Each structure stands twice: as C-alpha cells, then as structure tokens.
Amino acid sequence: MSVWYSFRSIKFTLLFHLLVCYFFYNPTDSGAVQLTQSNLDTTLASHELVLINFYADWCRFSNMLAPIFDEAADKVAAEFPEAGQVVMGKVDCDRENSVATRFHITKYPTLKVIRNGQPTKREYRGQRSSEAFLSFIQKQLADPIKEFQDLKELKDLDDKKRTVIGYFDRKDVPEYNIFRRVATNLKEDCQFFVGFGAASAQMHPPGQPIVVFRADKARSNEQDETFMGNLNVYDELNVWVSEKCVPLVREITFENAEELTEEGLPFLILFHKPDDNESVKKFNDVVINELLSEKQNINFLTADGVKFAHPLHHLGKSQGDLPLIAIDSFRHMYLFPDISEMEVPGKLKAFLQDLYSGKLHREFHYGPEPVTNTPKQIDGSNKKPTTPPESTFKKLAPSKNRYTLLRDEL
C-alpha cells in the first residue's frame, strides 16, 4: 500500500511540475495576440493602434521574426497597459486566408498598422528588433500636434514641409477631437499645429474654430487654403487634409523608397541639388498643370541628387550635371534629353508617351527612329545595339533577403 501511495505521490508531483512549467514558460497572456476572423474586427474597433504581423509558418523570415515580435508585444503591453490603447497581433495567413486576402498580403511577413480601425497607408518597414518595435509604438502614440502660445511662433515653421494649423477656443470641444484624429492619421505627411484661447483669438470668430493649410513654399507654388467644410464631420476633414498633405509630387528617400516601388508605377524623377528649390518648384508646376491626367500611370518624384548619386552614375551623370530628369521603369532608366525644355508645353508629356509606346526602349536598343510619314519596321539589322542603363530603384523594392514574395511561389 505504501509503495502504491509513493508511486501516486511521485506521479502527482511530476504532473504538477509539468503543469507549472507549461504555464510559466507558455503564459496565455504573453506575446502577440493571435487574431482570427472571429476576433479581428472586435480587436481593431476596440484599440486606437494595432500592429499586425501577417505570417506563414513555412516562411523562414516569418519564423525569424516570430520570437522578436512576441518579445516586443510583451514590452509594449508593459509600457502601455491602458485598455484600448494599443495591441500587437499576429495572423496565420494559411489558416486565416480570408483575412490575408482582405488586407492584400503579397509577401511574408507583412506588418500592417491599423489606427482607429482603419489601415494606414504605410506598413512598418523598420528594423526588426523588440527595441525598434517599441520605439515605433511610442512614436505612433505620441501627440501629433504641437501647441503654439503666440502667433509669432508660426513665422518660423519649416517651409519645406506642408503644415495644417488649427485655431480653437478650447481643447474640450468636439471639433478639436476630430482635428486630433485626422492629425494622428496624417502626421507623417504634414506637420500639425494648434492654438487655443488668446493664442489664436485673432484668427477666428468666437465659437467658430477654423483649420488652415499652409503650403510648402520652398518646394511649390501652391496657395494656402482654409477648410470650408464641417469640422464636426471626420470624413470630410480627413479627405480634405489628405488631399493637401499628400502632394502629387513626392520626395523619394531611402526610408520610403521600398513603399514607393511597391506601388508598381514607373518613376518620373527630378534629380536636384539639395539647395535647388527653384527646379523643384518648376517641376511641381509642370506636373500639376500638364501631367495631372497621368497620375494613375506614373509616380512623380523629386530626389536629392547627392544622396541618390548611384542612379546618376548609371545614367552616366554626376552631381555637376544636376538638375536632370529621368524615368525609371523598373527595367531601365531613360534620361530626359534637355532639362531646359522641361517647361516647354508638351515636352514632358511626350516623354511619358514615348515610355508607354515602347519608343524609349526601342531607341535605346536600336538608335533614333527615322522620321517618316510611312510606318517602317525597326529590325535593328543596320543599327548598332546599345546597352540601356538598368533600373537602380528596383533594387530598393521589397528584398528577397527580408520577405518571401508570394509571386515567387507561383
């Protein structure tokens, strides 16, 4: 009897230790929250900020990220314990195929940022460490609006950035809450400022707050504008601010290049010297006045020619040749022949049309096409082939050393 009791005691003790080890090393409330079709919408609706890791178990990059992301989730939960503030979640895309389709997942792992229930334009593309994730969350939850105490402070704003300014009587009004939500969504595209009470009383009638857009005067000739819609309607203000803060011509940087290449549109790029704002203004004017109808077919960009010296080298140019304009089709780069003709009506548009028709590619390989009234087939038999410069920006697209691209699996 004592032997049987001893055996049962040992068995119970062993089971107890196994259970303790399981719950200690596999706590149910640690790591990123597993999101499924059944709990996804509730999670998004109940949190201001959600960072989601879309992964696949068979993807080695997903497996590399998984423990780091879970560790970061624990750090974020410890720093931001307030309910409804932030959560880091993960979606197994093989099991939750409908969720992956809903968010247009084309690579693993993809890190989507959801704010106030809506996906932001930009994914997380930063460093993959728990510290970097925590820093990103801290910045995302920081107040996006700077408060000014005197109108004189607005005279010294950076004129290379687009600015939205709110003038309110008080902070505790519905209009300001909506203004803040919009600022939170678009803080990476614009700088936001606000003044209350006496600081802004000269700029608006009592009880009638206003919101004003201030253009980036150093880079464009756009005019300042006052919002004329209803400040109590979030969608109305959000659409207006989005149109003002996201310009037709964007500045490409090493930080946003991956995002821009993933949009899949060829680039029309003005390479300029860092202090050459005049060329940037002229380029902006031409794009807005002549090329607006092409915005669905091409990305209009400016680039610091000192930072992006490598593409210039591929074009056979140097910093001394700036400014210049080129197309990057993600296959080849094509140089606009004469920058002095940028403002000649129709010249840049014709350059784009030559891209669409394939003329630029043919001429790179077979030389200039003959000018004739009768169509002539170009076979290259009497022409010496050339070697067109390869695209350099395609190398800044999502890397195969960082993602598993789904099209590579087909």
Side-chain angles (χ1 to χ4, degrees):
M1 192 72 177
S2 61
V3 174
W4 173 245
Y5 177 81
S6 177
F7 175 77
R8 289 184 62 188
S9 177
I10 293 173
K11 186 177 180 181
F12 175 81
T13 302
L14 180 60
L15 179 61
F16 175 79
H17 280 293
L18 286 173
L19 288 172
V20 169
C21 289
Y22 176 83
F23 287 110
F24 182 78
Y25 291 105
N26 298 276
T28 57
D29 60 347
S30 67
V33 175
Q34 193 74 50
L35 299 176
T36 65
Q37 182 68 39
S38 61
N39 69 354
L40 176 65
D41 288 325
T42 302
T43 302
L44 299 185
S46 59
H47 290 85
E48 177 183 345
L49 183 69
V50 183
L51 179 61
I52 306 178
N53 172 20
F54 291 88
Y55 70 93
D57 282 334
W58 49 264
C59 165
R60 67 187 183 96
F61 300 111
S62 294
N63 291 327
M64 291 165 60
L65 177 63
I68 299 171
F69 197 77
D70 282 337
E71 179 186 352
D74 291 338
K75 290 184 177 181
V76 168
E79 180 149 342
F80 301 98
E82 183 180 342
Q85 194 170 17
V86 59
V87 68
M88 293 178 67
K90 53 189 177 183
V91 173
D92 183 337
C93 292
D94 285 336
R95 293 186 178 182
E96 301 294 334
N97 187 259
S98 62
V99 176
T101 300
R102 170 180 166 182
F103 286 89
H104 310 290
I105 304 304
T106 59
K107 62 186 183 302
Y108 298 133
T110 292
L111 299 165
K112 292 278 189 180
V113 183
I114 317 295
R115 183 176 290 282
N116 297 316
Q118 297 297 320
T120 62
K121 292 181 301 179
R122 295 182 175 89
E123 299 173 3
Y124 176 88
R125 300 176 188 270
Q127 184 182 354
R128 295 177 178 182
S129 68
S130 59
E131 293 78 13
F133 283 123
L134 177 59
S135 176
F136 173 78
I137 296 296
Q138 290 169 337
K139 291 178 181 177
Q140 290 295 307
L141 293 176
D143 195 331
I145 306 174
K146 297 179 181 178
E147 183 177 347
F148 63 87
Q149 304 299 326
D150 193 295
L151 292 175
K152 293 178 182 179
E153 298 174 35
L154 301 180
K155 294 180 179 179
D156 300 323
L157 300 184
D158 187 347
D159 62 358
K160 290 185 178 181
K161 295 182 179 180
R162 295 177 170 237
T163 305
V164 178
I165 307 170
Y167 302 97
F168 295 85
D169 288 322
R170 305 189 315 276
K171 184 177 289 189
D172 59 338
V173 293
E175 294 92 338
Y176 178 69
N177 290 332
I178 290 175
F179 179 71
R180 188 181 183 282
R181 285 178 61 195
V182 171
T184 301
N185 289 340
L186 294 163
K187 64 181 181 180
E188 294 182 19
D189 299 297
C190 262
Q191 52 183 356
F192 288 83
F193 290 83
V194 68
F196 300 104
S200 67
Q202 299 177 42
M203 302 302 295
H204 67 100
Q208 297 180 36
I210 65 170
V211 171
V212 174
F213 165 73
R214 183 180 291 186
D216 46 349
K217 301 296 185 184
R219 292 179 51 85
S220 76
N221 290 314
E222 293 183 50
Q223 300 300 307
D224 297 348
E225 189 174 330
T226 300
F227 177 64
M228 302 304 293
N230 190 343
L231 282 174
N232 285 299
V233 180
Y234 167 80
D235 288 339
E236 198 172 329
L237 180 62
N238 191 58
V239 168
W240 183 82
V241 175
S242 296
E243 290 175 350
K244 298 302 176 186
C245 286
V246 183
L248 185 60
V249 180
R250 293 176 283 181
E251 178 82 8
I252 188 170
T253 65
F254 288 111
E255 289 75 24
N256 67 7
E258 182 180 291
E259 169 195 337
L260 291 172
T261 56
E262 201 169 23
E263 291 179 8
L265 297 176
F267 293 169
L268 179 66
I269 313 177
L270 168 73
F271 292 92
H272 61 91
K273 293 180 179 178
D275 57 349
D276 180 11
N277 294 322
E278 195 59 32
S279 293
V280 173
K281 282 187 176 184
K282 291 178 180 179
F283 184 67
N284 268 281
D285 286 345
V286 173
V287 170
I288 291 171
N289 296 327
E290 295 188 33
L291 304 177
L292 188 60
S293 61
E294 303 296 328
K295 66 179 181 179
Q296 303 301 323
N297 305 316
I298 201 99
N299 258 326
F300 302 107
L301 305 171
T302 60
D304 183 330
V306 175
K307 292 180 180 178
F308 285 94
H310 186 62
L312 297 183
H313 176 73
H314 270 246
L315 289 165
K317 301 294 182 179
S318 67
Q319 296 174 23
D321 298 305
L322 296 173
L324 57 85
I325 294 174
I327 288 174
D328 191 304
S329 70
F330 297 147
R331 184 177 180 184
H332 297 299
M333 294 188 73
Y334 307 101
L335 182 66
F336 184 64
D338 188 350
I339 186 69
S340 68
E341 295 187 338
M342 173 176 67
E343 296 179 279
V344 176
K347 282 289 186 178
L348 266 184
K349 189 158 191 173
F351 186 49
L352 290 180
Q353 294 301 323
D354 288 345
L355 170 71
Y356 305 150
S357 68
K359 181 181 177 183
L360 290 179
H361 184 70
R362 293 194 300 270
E363 290 189 340
F364 255 124
H365 283 287
Y366 305 116
E369 296 185 0
V371 178
T372 176
N373 293 327
T374 58
K376 182 176 180 181
Q377 184 176 358
I378 299 173
D379 58 13
S381 58
N382 296 318
K383 298 180 185 293
K384 183 179 180 181
T386 62
T387 303
E390 291 187 358
S391 165
T392 56
F393 285 93
K394 70 178 181 181
K395 298 174 183 177
L396 299 178
S399 169
K400 292 184 179 181
N401 296 319
R402 187 174 172 88
Y403 303 103
T404 298
L405 305 178
L406 296 190
R407 60 180 176 269
D408 294 342
E409 301 299 317
L410 299 179

